[in-house]
Amino acid sequence: MLKTRVWRVDAARPDPSAIREAAEVLRGGGLVAFPTETVYGLGADAYNASAVRRIFEVKGRPPDNPLIVHISRLEQLEELASSLPPAAEELARAFWPGPLTIVVPRSPRVPDEVTASLPKVAVRMPAHKVALALIEELGSPIAAPSANLSGRPSPTSAEHVLRDLGGRVEGILDAGDTLYGVESTIVDLTSEPPVLLRPGALPLERIEHVLGVKVSVPEFARGLREAEVALAPGMRYRHYAPRAAMVVVESSDYGDLARVARTVARLALEEVRRGRRVCVLCTDETLGYYSEAAAEGVGLKSLGTREDPFTIARNLFRRLREVDDEGYEFVVAEGVEERGLGLAIMNRLRKASGFNIIRV
Ligand code: TXA
Ligand code: MG
């Protein structure tokens, strides 16, 4: 067991001495969890192969699931990539720092451990003062997956990181809750047209608008099935999953929320009458539909409001963790429209359910 050091820092003006100490840990081959605008990451010096290997051990992450490399300046992209497709520069200019990860051909300098030996590397420049200061202070890019145990929901606060990785990592920079609460959008720029590998905090529509082309969206990016190894190894594994069994109720018409709620309530009541502890993940708009279910003991949690999917994205992983902490055995979640942030929300919900989807 390690003693995990926690540095509390101001997200807007991080204390330089905390950043220096954390960078020193990374320089010595240690692991430091740090906040980004999406979720907390578990960082190692990207050029230190043995430090990177430890990330996989500590998370229980399959070694064929590659890591995102975090940078603080554009020269670092040039140093990590063997060549840059024009789209890379356009997207970097438009969205960095920000919640976009691009996949580009990799330079030989990048350790195999980082890319799981793939010929490409995933890179992003996070929009968080703490993350940027840490990379600057280290003077090298930082390889970092989300700072959760493999398979658990990604951490949106330092407490989540501490619960998963306390005693296993050298330090955590704690700057409070993250802004978006879902991970970055990942686009593979090594093919034409570009391929969406994971929807995330940056809406796909904004990327397409800048590129002036449609990005290809494979079924696995919508969370409808597992990815093939060749495309993105990491996506084969069940992610974000609560321990509870889960089902997602989707609709082609979220204008008719009563219909969605009727099915959700029926499924929840069936299970609660079998003696299971059941929770409904709904939205502010549908809370009112579940009074009968609640009266029979079904737990109710709103993810946020459909009028602002940002609120839903932001609460999602926290709610999935709460469901486990509160001992629920069965979760019924409402779907949302697959547009804007809704694409990322549905990807996470479908994967969390193990693709257990009902359409009404
Ligand atoms: O917002 C985020 O992206 C957060 C913060 C910490 O930056 N990071 C994150 O990392 O979500 P992680 O490891 O949980 O997810 C990274 C995903 C994996 O599913 C992996 O398969 C994919 O990125 N990936 C990484 N490198 C890749 C590569 N070279 N080719 C294809 N996919 C890659
Ligand atoms: Mg992850």
Side-chain angles (χ1 to χ4, degrees):
M1 262 292 255
L2 287 170
K3 185 169 161 15
T4 301
R5 176 105 193 254
V6 178
W7 298 275
R8 288 222 165 68
V9 290
D10 189 313
R13 251 187 297 130
D15 172 13
S17 69
I19 299 292
R20 268 198 302 275
E21 286 171 18
E24 201 47 51
V25 170
L26 292 175
R27 214 168 278 127
L31 305 184
V32 173
F34 61 95
T36 78
E37 77 281 38
T38 57
V39 300
Y40 275 73
L42 177 60
D45 176 348
Y47 293 133
N48 181 337
S50 62
V52 172
R53 271 197 298 275
R54 250 194 79 216
I55 289 182
F56 290 85
E57 278 164 36
V58 155
K59 280 190 53 124
R61 184 179 177 99
D64 60 351
N65 188 359
L67 307 180
I68 295 173
V69 181
H70 297 68
I71 61 172
S72 57
R73 43 179 80 216
L74 280 176
E75 300 91 276
Q76 292 167 327
L77 173 64
E78 286 158 31
E79 139 196 335
L80 292 162
S82 61
S83 66
L84 283 183
E89 281 154 63
E90 283 171 58
L91 292 178
R93 199 174 323 118
F95 300 117
W96 280 357
L100 170 70
T101 297
I102 59 173
V103 174
V104 294
R106 129 207 202 188
S107 111
R109 226 190 130 173
V110 183
D112 278 341
E113 283 79 358
V114 171
T115 65
S117 301
L118 288 174
K120 12 186 182 174
V121 61
V123 184
R124 92 174 187 100
M125 188 188 289
H128 197 293
K129 290 241 165 72
V130 174
L132 292 171
L134 186 64
I135 302 163
E136 278 292 289
E137 183 65 34
L138 178 65
S140 275
I142 294 180
S146 49
N148 50 288
L149 285 174
S150 195
R152 298 267 294 145
S154 294
T156 60
S157 73
E159 291 78 63
H160 296 166
V161 179
L162 207 53
R163 288 193 64 175
D164 279 14
L165 302 178
R168 301 180 188 230
V169 301
E170 279 77 10
I172 304 176
L173 282 160
D174 175 359
D177 289 352
T178 61
L179 176 63
Y180 291 103
V182 288
E183 304 91 337
S184 62
T185 303
I186 307 180
V187 193
D188 187 342
L189 302 178
T190 65
S191 45
E192 290 266 3
V195 180
L196 180 72
L197 295 182
R198 179 179 73 186
L202 181 70
L204 182 64
E205 295 87 341
R206 294 193 53 202
I207 296 169
E208 293 181 326
H209 181 78
V210 164
L211 292 180
V213 295
K214 282 278 175 198
V215 170
S216 138
V217 181
E219 289 225 303
F220 70 77
R222 295 177 57 209
L224 289 174
R225 63 172 180 81
E226 300 289 333
E228 275 134 37
V229 190
L231 277 170
M235 292 160 196
R236 271 186 302 131
Y237 305 96
R238 194 178 166 201
H239 265 154
Y240 321 115
R243 280 180 278 270
M246 181 167 161
V247 58
V248 188
V249 178
E250 302 186 6
S251 171
S252 52
D253 175 19
Y254 289 102
D256 188 359
L257 287 174
R259 215 170 91 185
V260 176
R262 258 197 310 277
T263 302
V264 170
R266 180 175 56 74
L267 293 168
L269 279 167
E270 272 169 23
E271 292 298 323
V272 91
R273 285 171 187 158
R274 284 194 189 120
R276 292 175 93 184
R277 299 203 55 193
V278 181
C279 184
V280 164
L281 293 179
C282 62
T283 48
D284 295 353
E285 288 76 8
T286 51
L287 271 168
Y289 290 108
Y290 300 110
S291 33
E292 189 199 342
E296 290 203 36
V298 171
L300 272 186
K301 288 178 186 291
S302 174
L303 290 169
T305 168
R306 288 173 186 273
E307 287 188 359
D308 184 5
F310 177 85
T311 59
I312 298 177
R314 196 178 172 157
N315 291 326
L316 184 59
F317 288 140
R318 175 177 296 278
R319 294 286 175 271
L320 290 176
R321 281 176 180 262
E322 285 171 7
V323 159
D324 281 340
D325 294 345
E326 294 166 24
Y328 287 107
E329 297 160 300
F330 191 79
V331 178
V332 193
E334 293 175 1
V336 300
E337 206 176 322
E338 244 179 316
R339 200 154 51 81
L341 275 174
L343 197 61
I345 295 165
M346 287 315 296
N347 166 292
R348 307 303 187 274
L349 280 176
R350 287 166 177 158
K351 290 177 116 182
S353 76
F355 313 102
N356 191 13
I357 299 162
I358 290 182
R359 293 196 173 79
V360 297

